[in-house]
Amino acid sequence: MSEFNPARRQILKGTAVAVGGVVAVSHGQPAQAAAAAPRAVPASPTNVSIRLRVNGTEHQMMIDPRTTLLDALRERLRLTGTKKGCDQGQCGACTVIVDGRRVTSCLTLAVMQEGHDITTIEGLGTPRNLHPMQAAFVKHDGYQCGFCTPGQICSAVAMLDEVRAGIPSHVTADLNAAPQPGEAEFRERMSGNLCRCGAYSNIQDAIAEVAGVRR
Ligand code: FES
Ligand code: FES
């Protein structure tokens, strides 16, 4: 058995060289150059002082200017009702309300929100005094695991304000007329809020009740 080991090592060495050669070729440069190239490490910027107004309370903090609003809310202010799903603007779980408009907080920097009014799910209502949209979600069972729910509720609240303000959507038939509140408008406007549990039908029931329309 042992007399085969040297040969085996030779075979393994040869294989390693061959693999290294393939990797180097695939990157279009010699193997030595690829190994020697240092990786650029971005310098950490200096923290900056910001003031965020969240749910009516002012918060002063020193923060890395690269911090998203989502991370500032969750990690610095401990407002963990706002959820991190995809962290890249695709799921809507991080939706909060800024100056009355829906914002995916993972896509905006905290430093950009100074001077604005930020409302999170914690600021909409309390367990003893629910916001009408929160109460409707409870009544219509508009959630299962609940992970998407804070984003769904914040989005739904601001979405109805958008409809009332006459802002058209992709499915608004007449751009010269006020959009008609109803299931088609609600589904289109809520399409940025994903629910992996599939509670969409019950969510629509809750929104319809708050909007005062029949499904
Ligand atoms: Fe922001 Fe998904 S966590 S959109
Ligand atoms: Fe579970 Fe929506 S209730 S993801």
Side-chain angles (χ1 to χ4, degrees):
M1 186 69 180
S2 61
E3 65 191 75
F4 292 111
N5 284 344
R8 198 159 152 255
R9 284 199 195 99
Q10 288 303 321
I11 291 168
L12 291 174
K13 274 187 191 170
T15 305
V17 169
V19 168
V22 170
V23 171
V25 167
S26 71
H27 286 80
Q29 57 187 336
Q32 297 97 322
R39 283 191 65 184
V41 178
S44 177
T46 309
N47 283 0
V48 295
S49 173
I50 66 167
R51 201 172 175 83
L52 288 182
R53 188 160 57 250
V54 184
N55 301 330
T57 303
E58 299 276 353
H59 300 272
Q60 186 86 38
M61 66 183 85
M62 294 297 293
I63 199 166
D64 184 321
R66 299 169 296 184
T67 307
T68 63
L69 176 59
L70 173 60
D71 284 342
L73 292 172
R74 289 182 55 85
E75 309 298 334
R76 301 298 300 276
L77 301 182
R78 302 295 178 205
L79 292 171
T80 54
T82 305
K83 298 292 185 265
K84 180 182 284 191
C86 63
D87 207 19
Q88 52 185 342
Q90 294 183 344
C91 72
C94 66
T95 304
V96 297
I97 302 171
V98 178
D99 296 337
R101 302 291 294 272
R102 298 181 280 174
V103 167
T104 41
S105 60
C106 70
L107 289 187
T108 185
L109 298 175
V111 293
M112 297 166 65
Q113 301 306 331
E114 266 199 310
H116 297 279
D117 275 313
I118 302 159
T119 304
T120 68
I121 190 70
E122 292 91 344
L124 275 183
T126 64
R128 290 182 180 278
N129 185 24
L130 295 177
H131 183 282
M133 190 64 76
Q134 292 172 313
F137 267 65
V138 173
K139 176 181 172 184
H140 292 280
D141 216 10
Y143 49 83
Q144 289 180 40
C145 76
F147 192 83
C148 73
T149 311
Q152 299 275 5
I153 291 175
C154 285
S155 189
V157 168
M159 181 274 289
L160 290 184
D161 288 340
E162 289 168 16
V163 176
R164 293 186 194 109
I167 299 171
S169 80
H170 185 65
V171 298
T172 304
D174 182 357
L175 296 183
N176 293 314
Q180 292 304 304
E183 187 169 348
E185 285 284 355
F186 299 159
R187 283 191 179 276
E188 165 63 20
R189 292 170 190 264
M190 291 296 292
S191 60
N193 288 85
L194 306 183
C195 174
R196 65 184 175 180
C197 298
Y200 295 113
S201 183
N202 296 15
I203 290 170
Q204 286 297 314
D205 286 342
I207 294 173
E209 175 169 313
V210 176
V213 300
R214 294 172 64 91
R215 286 194 69 202

